[in-house]
């Protein structure tokens, strides 16, 4: 999965810092990130380094006083081993498609990153995006409307007027692999860019346990009951600000599927043999499919 970057390690403790020329800078515009492509034949990608963005600062500063605010908008994110990552926050209206970008740089959709990047870069991009959305969403206090300020000792925004404290928000959600003997319930989302097979998924609601969420989501989306719910593994998923909790569960009663057409395009029971090549090594969903496949392949 994307967080499996061993032997490297994520250090997400907050600290006050300014970027050095070799540090990586995350710049987002909606659901796109600025990436730098290698000039070599492999066309590998990475985030641009601070020193590679000098010309970019000049182009955006023609529309705003970016240089004067740069110290306030270079936000330390985290380290992966000794590599430091920073976020550059800028008004998205200044990031139009026609603006001149640094050499070999381009905008890439987050969905494309998953296709092109290795685990380390994908994990860094998704985690940076989680924090980007948090900073972007909480520019102003939700209680009194005053502009928030970053704390100097921890990852927190506070309101200088009413004292409200705002911490990064993580939404728990479940992934449910529902099995029926040698078959597993696979779905396709309705109205989504993602068109591959998926498992039942959904957010935990107020007052629910994760197991309650599994029962409710499976019933709501596929119209079936489950039993023997077993926890498998978790995964941070920064694209949606989630912590995904993976569960296996068994069919309880009728296998007749009745889908929620607002959520799903399709849902069907799929035999284990058809899952042979479905693991992409990035997501909890695909790993759980592989686990189900291997359980039956080894029998």
């Amino acid at each position: 999965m994307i967080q499996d970057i061993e032997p490297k390690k994520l250090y997400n403790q907050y600290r006050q810092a300014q970027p050095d020329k070799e540090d990586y800078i995350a710049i987002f515009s909606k659901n796109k990130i600025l990436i730098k492509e290698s000039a070599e034949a492999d066309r590998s990608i990475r985030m641009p380094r601070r020193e590679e963005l000098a010309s970019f600062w000049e182009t955006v500063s023609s529309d705003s006083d970016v240089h004067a605010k740069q110290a306030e908008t270079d936000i330390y994110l985290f380290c992966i081993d000794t590599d430091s990552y920073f976020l550059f926050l800028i008004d998205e209206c200044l990031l139009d498609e026609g603006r001149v970008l640094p050499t070999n740089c381009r905008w890439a959709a987050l969905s494309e990153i998953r296709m092109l990047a290795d685990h380390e870069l994908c994990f860094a991009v998704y985690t940076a995006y989680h924090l980007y959305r948090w900073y972007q969403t909480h520019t102003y206090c939700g209680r009194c409307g005053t502009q928030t300020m970053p704390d100097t000792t921890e990852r927190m925004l506070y309101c200088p007027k009413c004292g409200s404290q705002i911490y990064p928000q993580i939404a728990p959600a479940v992934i449910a692999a529902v099995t029926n003997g040698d078959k597993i319930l696979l779905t396709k989302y309705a109205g989504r860019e993602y068109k591959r097979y998926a498992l039942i998924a959904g957010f935990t609601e107020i007052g629910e346990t994760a197991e309650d969420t599994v029962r409710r989501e499976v019933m709501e989306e596929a119209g079936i009951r489950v039993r023997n719910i077993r926890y498998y593994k978790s995964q941070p998923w920064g694209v949606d600000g989630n912590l995904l909790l993976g569960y296996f569960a068994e069919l309880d009663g009728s296998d007749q599927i009745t889908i929620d057409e607002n959520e799903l395009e399709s849902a069907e029971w799929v035999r284990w043999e058809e899952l042979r090549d479905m693991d992409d090594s990035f997501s909890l969903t695909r790993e759980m499919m592989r686990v189900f496949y291997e359980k039956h392949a080894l029998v």
Side-chain angles (χ1 to χ4, degrees), residues 182 270-277 292-293 296:
D182 62 356
V270 176
R271 286 181 55 83
W272 67 271
E273 298 97 329
E274 299 180 50
L275 276 62
R276 182 187 302 273
D277 299 315
F292 180 74
Y293 168 81
H296 289 273

Side-chain angles (χ1 to χ4, degrees), residues 195-250:
K195 296 299 183 183
R196 303 171 72 186
Y197 274 121
L199 301 174
I200 296 287
F203 290 100
T204 299
E205 295 186 355
I206 296 297
E208 278 188 332
T209 66
E211 292 80 4
D212 287 339
T213 307
V214 171
R215 295 184 186 95
R216 177 180 53 77
E217 286 290 344
V218 174
M219 175 55 70
E220 287 179 355
E221 295 191 6
I224 61 176
R225 299 183 184 277
V226 294
R227 62 181 179 84
N228 194 18
I229 300 170
R230 290 110 50 211
Y231 174 74
Y232 170 66
K233 196 180 287 187
S234 64
Q235 177 176 43
W237 198 251
V239 175
D240 297 311
N242 301 156
L243 176 62
L244 302 177
L245 307 173
Y247 287 86
F248 281 92
E250 297 173 4

Side-chain angles (χ1 to χ4, degrees), residues 76 83 94 107 125 138 145 166 186 188 211 225-227 236 240:
Y76 172 74
D83 291 329
L94 301 177
W107 295 106
V125 169
H138 295 95
I166 310 165
L186 298 187
K188 290 186 178 181
E211 292 80 4
R225 299 183 184 277
V226 294
R227 62 181 179 84
D240 297 311

Side-chain angles (χ1 to χ4, degrees), residues 177-185 248 270-273 275 286-297:
V178 181
T179 64
N180 179 15
D182 62 356
K183 294 177 286 187
I184 189 171
L185 182 62
F248 281 92
V270 176
R271 286 181 55 83
W272 67 271
E273 298 97 329
L275 276 62
R286 311 300 280 191
E287 181 172 303
M288 292 174 71
M289 291 180 185
R290 187 203 71 218
V291 168
F292 180 74
Y293 168 81
E294 291 178 348
K295 173 185 176 182
H296 289 273

Side-chain angles (χ1 to χ4, degrees), residues 36-290:
K36 185 173 178 66
E37 290 184 314
S38 168
E40 306 300 324
D42 64 358
R43 306 300 290 178
S44 61
I45 63 172
R46 59 174 171 82
M47 292 187 202
R49 298 184 188 273
R50 176 66 182 82
E51 63 182 350
E52 296 167 335
L53 293 171
S55 61
F56 186 74
W57 303 143
E58 294 177 5
T59 63
V60 295
S61 66
S62 63
D63 293 324
S64 69
D65 191 12
V66 170
H67 289 292
K69 298 179 181 177
Q70 189 169 315
E72 300 174 7
T73 53
D74 283 326
I75 300 171
Y76 172 74
L77 296 176
F78 49 79
C79 285
I80 295 181
D81 278 2
T82 58
D83 291 329
S84 294
Y85 292 79
F86 287 78
L87 173 67
F88 184 70
L89 277 176
I90 185 171
D91 191 331
E92 290 182 353
C93 69
L94 301 177
L95 301 177
D96 58 88
E97 297 289 341
R99 188 172 299 282
V100 176
L101 299 177
T103 303
N104 294 331
C105 286
R106 65 176 178 87
W107 295 106
L110 296 183
S111 57
E112 182 182 3
I113 294 296
R114 181 174 172 177
M115 299 296 117
L116 299 179
D118 58 19
H119 281 211
E120 181 181 347
L121 178 58
C122 191
F123 188 38
V125 169
Y126 284 17
T127 306
Y129 185 75
H130 189 167
L131 287 170
Y132 157 71
R133 291 291 301 275
W134 176 69
Y135 279 112
Q136 182 192 51
T137 303
H138 295 95
T139 302
Y140 297 96
C141 174
R143 180 184 296 171
C144 70
T146 302
Q147 186 166 353
T148 57
M149 301 288 292
D151 189 73
T152 58
T153 59
E154 60 180 331
R155 180 83 63 188
M156 183 261 284
L157 297 171
Y158 70 91
C159 176
K161 182 177 180 180
C162 72
S164 179
Q165 297 179 336
I166 310 165
Y167 290 89
Q169 296 161 333
I170 302 170
V174 302
I175 299 289
V178 181
T179 64
N180 179 15
D182 62 356
K183 294 177 286 187
I184 189 171
L185 182 62
L186 298 187
T187 68
K188 290 186 178 181
Y189 296 122
R192 302 266 193 99
E193 181 181 353
Y194 187 82
K195 296 299 183 183
R196 303 171 72 186
Y197 274 121
L199 301 174
I200 296 287
F203 290 100
T204 299
E205 295 186 355
I206 296 297
E208 278 188 332
T209 66
E211 292 80 4
D212 287 339
T213 307
V214 171
R215 295 184 186 95
R216 177 180 53 77
E217 286 290 344
V218 174
M219 175 55 70
E220 287 179 355
E221 295 191 6
I224 61 176
R225 299 183 184 277
V226 294
R227 62 181 179 84
N228 194 18
I229 300 170
R230 290 110 50 211
Y231 174 74
Y232 170 66
K233 196 180 287 187
S234 64
Q235 177 176 43
W237 198 251
V239 175
D240 297 311
N242 301 156
L243 176 62
L244 302 177
L245 307 173
Y247 287 86
F248 281 92
E250 297 173 4
L251 174 68
D252 183 15
S254 173
D255 64 357
Q256 181 66 43
I257 298 170
T258 304
I259 67 170
D260 178 354
E261 296 182 352
N262 292 320
E263 295 288 337
L264 300 180
E265 177 181 301
S266 66
E268 58 186 294
W269 295 108
V270 176
R271 286 181 55 83
W272 67 271
E273 298 97 329
E274 299 180 50
L275 276 62
R276 182 187 302 273
D277 299 315
M278 285 196 180
D279 184 20
D280 60 10
S281 81
F282 276 80
S283 71
L284 177 60
T285 292
R286 311 300 280 191
E287 181 172 303
M288 292 174 71
M289 291 180 185
R290 187 203 71 218

